[in-house]
Each structure stands twice: as structure tokens, then as C-alpha cells.
Amino acid sequence: MMRLLREPLLHFLILGAALFGLNAVFVGTETKVPQKIVVSAAQIANLEQTFARTWQRQPAPEELKGLVEDYVRDEVYYREGKALELDRDDIVIRRRIRQKMEFFAEDIAAAEPTDSELNAYLAAHPEQFRMEQSVSFRQVFLSSKRGETLDADVQEIAAALSHANGTEGASLGDGLLLGSEFNAVRRSEVVNDFGESFAEELFSSDTNSWQGPFASAFGLHFVFVSERSEGGLPKLAAVREAVAREWANARRVEKLDEFYRALRGRYDVVVETPPAKREARADAAGAVQ
């Protein structure tokens, strides 16, 4: 056996087999892929634009030459990889291709809505655009920390405010981190800051006169409501941007689904049961019998 391993003829045969194998890999693969790679003017312009966006300047000639060569390198590897079917069963590539197909479908769905379409969408989805009640008001706050003097202070300030307008009472009362003046505050914000019972009294109080005091967790509040909006479903002009955004999103989802169902119809999908589950079901069926 050792004499056989030392034979020059055996060494020649092994070397020949290795060379044959390498030739099959490199020469054989080369004949399967396209030999021509065209870098178009549009692709070169895209490379220049991408470089300019990144570096905030145009590429120098040598840099552009390098970009083109790198593009060719990408193309060569891409084609060779596809020829070797390296893209098959690759989850990253599958997701990326799916994403590109969905982008393609979104481009198809892109369209400028008409007012008629937006009005129809607004009418069909009122809850998405209904506006809350809102209120603008000033307050004179009396902290509960005033203790025993609080009742007397309330009487004194109520008397002062009975003849005051909205700005004359601003210097009275105690400071509060939330502030003393509120503009177009939504009801939900009032509830969050002062509580439900305070919001109920505020939104039902008269306007353009000092009212109260209304209680909150902080203390007592005299309020001067200068403006109140009852909310409700607005006109399209007031919410056109939001309606157009939601309409476009709904159309995108709808068209994506249509696009997928059209493609899905081209396939007869067979979902096979894994062997382990198949055996388990068979065992269960046997046990029942």
C-alpha cells in the first residue's frame, strides 16, 4: 500500500482530477451567466446623485470611476450568485423581494384624491375626524393650602370678580403650575389636568363672565370662559390633510390586497402536514378507535 502511495503515476492522476474539478467550477459556471454588463447613463447618474446626497458634493472623476467599478462588482457577484441559486430559501432576500413587490403595488395605487372621494371617506369614517369640545378660559385659583381662610378668601374674590371682566381678575388668587390662561383646550385635556367634575362644570358654565368657584384636586377655581366649541364632525376644508392621509393609507391597503389576491390566484397552494404531526394525528385516531 505504501509503495502504491509513492508511485508518480498516482500523484499525476490526483493532480489531474483536481484540475478537472476546478475547471468545471470556474469555466463551467462562466458559460451559464450573461457575459455583457451595461452600465447605462441613467445608472451612472443615479450613482452620482447617491454620492452627492451622502457627501454633499459631486464625485471627482476618479471617485466616479470607483463607483462604476463597484457597481460592476455588485452586478458580477449578483449574477454569479443567482447562477449558483444562492438566493433560494434565503429569508432576507425573500423579504426584500416581497417588500419591493409591495412598493411596486403602492406605486400603482398612488393617486391624487378628488374632493368627492375625500368627502365620501369623511362621511364613512366620522369617528376618525370628529373634533372634541374645546374651551378657552382664564382662571383665578385658590389653593386648598389656604386652610381656615379659604372660605373668607372665596367670598372676597367672588365679590371682586362680580364686576370684573376677563382680564381684570388675572392678578388675584394663587399661582398654579398649569397656568392661568388656556386657549382652545380639548375636553380630554381638561379632564386629564383638572378632573371630570371640573370639566363638566367648565363646559356647562356661562361665557364672558366669571363663574365658580369649581373644585378640583388642587383647590378652587373661578373661571372666565371666553370661547367654547361644541366639536362634532368638521367640514372637509378643516381636516383635508388628515382625511387625504387616511384615504391614501386605506387605498394603499386595499390595492395591496387586490394585487396580492391577483398574484395568489396564479398558484395552487398545497400545505403539507409535517410528518410528526401526521403521525400524532394517526395515533390519536387509533386511540379513539
Side-chain angles (χ1 to χ4, degrees):
M1 183 64 179
M2 295 302 295
R3 287 182 58 192
L4 178 60
L5 291 176
R6 288 195 293 270
E7 283 295 329
L9 178 58
L10 178 61
H11 295 169
F12 176 78
L13 291 175
I14 293 173
L15 179 61
L19 290 173
F20 180 80
L22 289 172
N23 182 70
V25 170
F26 290 103
V27 178
T29 300
E30 184 181 355
T31 59
K32 295 179 181 177
V33 296
Q35 297 300 304
K36 189 175 183 179
I37 294 177
V38 177
V39 185
S40 68
Q43 287 165 329
I44 293 174
N46 186 50
L47 292 173
E48 289 180 302
Q49 290 169 4
T50 303
F51 182 95
R53 281 199 298 272
T54 304
W55 301 103
Q56 301 299 305
R57 65 176 176 81
Q58 293 296 315
E62 280 302 312
E63 290 172 325
L64 182 57
K65 183 180 177 181
L67 292 173
V68 171
E69 185 54 42
D70 197 52
Y71 176 86
V72 172
R73 182 185 290 261
D74 280 349
E75 188 66 17
V76 168
Y77 276 126
Y78 172 73
R79 295 188 186 188
E80 293 291 342
K82 276 192 67 69
L84 293 172
E85 298 185 340
L86 297 183
D87 55 329
R88 289 182 64 83
D89 300 324
D90 186 311
I91 189 65
V92 175
I93 293 175
R94 287 166 63 92
R95 285 176 179 170
R96 182 58 181 153
I97 290 177
R98 171 181 171 173
Q99 187 182 46
K100 294 187 78 169
M101 289 293 287
E102 290 178 342
F103 284 158
F104 175 70
E106 288 176 3
D107 287 343
I108 296 174
E112 191 64 25
T114 65
D115 280 0
S116 175
E117 289 173 317
L118 294 183
N119 271 315
Y121 189 87
L122 177 61
H125 304 84
E127 294 308 317
Q128 286 183 250
F129 308 101
R130 193 178 300 282
M131 298 179 76
E132 277 189 75
Q133 285 181 298
S134 64
V135 64
S136 297
F137 69 98
R138 291 188 177 92
Q139 70 163 338
V140 171
F141 170 64
L142 285 86
S143 171
S144 56
K145 292 179 181 178
R146 288 184 178 230
E148 295 179 353
T149 68
L150 181 60
D151 290 342
D153 293 341
V154 166
Q155 297 300 321
E156 181 180 342
I157 290 178
L161 293 177
S162 63
H163 303 293
N165 60 30
T167 56
E168 288 173 340
S171 60
L172 302 175
D174 302 318
L176 185 64
L177 286 177
L178 293 173
S180 60
E181 186 167 347
F182 303 83
N183 293 314
V185 187
R186 296 194 302 273
R187 183 186 179 102
S188 60
E189 294 174 312
V190 174
V191 170
N192 286 338
D193 288 341
F194 297 97
E196 182 65 48
S197 62
F198 176 87
E200 186 63 35
E201 290 182 299
L202 178 66
F203 278 89
S204 60
S205 67
D206 293 338
T207 59
N208 295 318
S209 64
W210 285 99
Q211 303 289 315
F214 303 145
S216 77
F218 303 110
L220 298 175
H221 310 252
F222 289 94
V223 298
F224 186 96
V225 176
S226 57
E227 186 175 2
R228 185 166 55 226
S229 170
E230 295 305 319
L233 191 62
K235 298 290 186 184
L236 176 61
V239 288
R240 195 179 198 288
E241 185 177 345
V243 176
R245 183 174 58 250
E246 294 302 319
W247 176 90
N249 186 54
R251 178 182 168 87
R252 182 184 67 82
V253 172
E254 177 188 346
K255 294 300 178 185
L256 267 177
D257 190 52
E258 285 180 8
F259 182 67
Y260 170 70
R261 282 189 277 110
L263 296 177
R264 179 70 169 73
R266 299 178 184 178
Y267 296 87
D268 180 18
V269 179
V270 177
V271 181
E272 295 183 341
T273 305
K277 288 189 177 179
R278 201 161 52 228
E279 292 170 5
R281 288 176 184 173
D283 292 343
V288 170
Q289 293 173 358

